[in-house]
């Protein structure tokens, strides 16, 4: 496959795969203390009494890990990934201590700007855990420069 | 206003306001190293050469700060805020070092579950900076127990 570098190199249907990320209980708690201080994310005993029945990552922690994995996979080449927004953000299963997470993505929309030297890319990303269970989906709208 | 505790206490059109959060350059960089390692979030000099023309927070950092402010404001009373997903997530302006951010929210949809003792709440949240500039919107879909 030719190197992907510009909006013009992208095609609808192109697929991507990221590396994986293993999550520790200590990371879940540290993120939660700073950004989502709720019992199901902070403490095993308190979490056991919630509908999660045990410690689970903040959904925003899951989303942030997904961003890291997507950035490291460089789907659009050397250009920074500049997001305008996200559609279809859904948390579909709890993310637990020890889970190993990775993502697969597919480009579903490519719209060149009529006024600026870039285009807008929509990619459907799906994050699975080590059991192949879908835990998170999101479809970021990203700006990529044209050649 | 009566205390909000259950889904049944909520009404479409109810409005909320959060406390505020001041963001430091060091926080922007620390979040970015862990979750969004790109030049516009990591380093002033590198950021100056991007379309951001200076250091800006990762959008996922902004989203995580918003979650903290919403959690602390307890819009649905003592129950944890359990999110199924988010619609309408848009980053509308860069978030800069020193910015002071707060949010206003309004309930736009209340759908009781037909099978479970809870309901689904959609709230439109808008985050502004200290100049009244809109920087971020999101509409989380949240599960709240019924009385």
């Amino acid at each position: 496959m030719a190197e992907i570098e510009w909006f013009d190199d992208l095609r609808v249907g192109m697929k991507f795969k990221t590396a994986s990320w293993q999550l520790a209980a200590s990371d879940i708690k540290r993120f939660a203390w700073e950004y989502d201080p709720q019992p199901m994310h902070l403490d095993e005993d308190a979490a056991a009494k919630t509908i999660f029945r045990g410690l689970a990552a903040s959904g925003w922690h899951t989303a942030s890990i997904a961003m890291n994995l997507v950035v490291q996979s460089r789907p659009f080449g050397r250009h920074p990934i500049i997001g305008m927004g996200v559609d279809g953000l859904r948390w579909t299963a709890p993310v637990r201590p020890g889970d190993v997470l990775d993502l697969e993505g597919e480009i579903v929309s490519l719209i060149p700007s009529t006024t600026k030297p870039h285009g807008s890319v929509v990619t459907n990303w799906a994050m699975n855990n080590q059991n192949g269970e879908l835990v998170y989906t999101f479809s970021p709208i990203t700006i990529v420069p044209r050649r």
Side-chain angles (χ1 to χ4, degrees), chain A:
Chain A
M1 188 170 82
E3 192 185 357
I4 301 295
E5 190 174 6
W6 304 96
F7 179 81
D8 315 81
D9 301 325
L10 301 171
R11 297 288 176 270
V12 169
M14 274 186 176
K15 291 180 179 169
F16 310 106
K17 194 161 167 55
T18 71
S20 63
W21 177 299
Q22 185 164 24
L23 193 60
S26 57
D27 293 327
I28 291 177
K29 295 176 194 177
R30 184 165 52 89
F31 186 97
W33 277 112
E34 196 158 7
Y35 298 114
D36 191 351
Q38 302 201 91
M40 60 280 194
H41 309 314
L42 288 171
D43 176 85
E44 282 84 353
D45 291 342
K49 294 174 190 146
T50 69
I51 67 164
F52 287 91
R53 298 178 185 280
L55 199 69
S58 167
W60 298 104
H61 193 188
T62 303
S64 298
I65 290 167
M67 184 64 187
N68 180 299
L69 290 170
V70 168
V71 165
Q72 306 282 4
S73 76
R74 296 195 161 277
F76 311 137
R78 65 185 170 84
H79 301 289
I81 295 179
I82 297 173
M84 309 304 291
V86 172
D87 290 325
L89 191 162
R90 293 294 181 273
W91 296 291
T92 51
V95 170
R96 303 293 190 178
D99 276 3
V100 180
L101 307 166
D102 63 13
L103 296 106
E104 295 188 0
E106 179 173 353
I107 294 179
V108 293
S109 165
L110 291 168
I111 302 175
S113 171
T114 54
T115 57
K116 292 179 181 165
H118 63 227
S120 164
V121 184
V122 179
T123 311
N124 287 353
W125 288 99
M127 178 185 258
N128 288 279
N129 65 21
Q130 68 283 1
N131 301 317
E133 188 180 14
L134 182 72
V135 297
Y136 172 61
T137 64
F138 75 123
S139 300
I141 306 154
T142 311
I143 297 302
V144 179
R146 303 202 69 172
R147 180 167 279 123

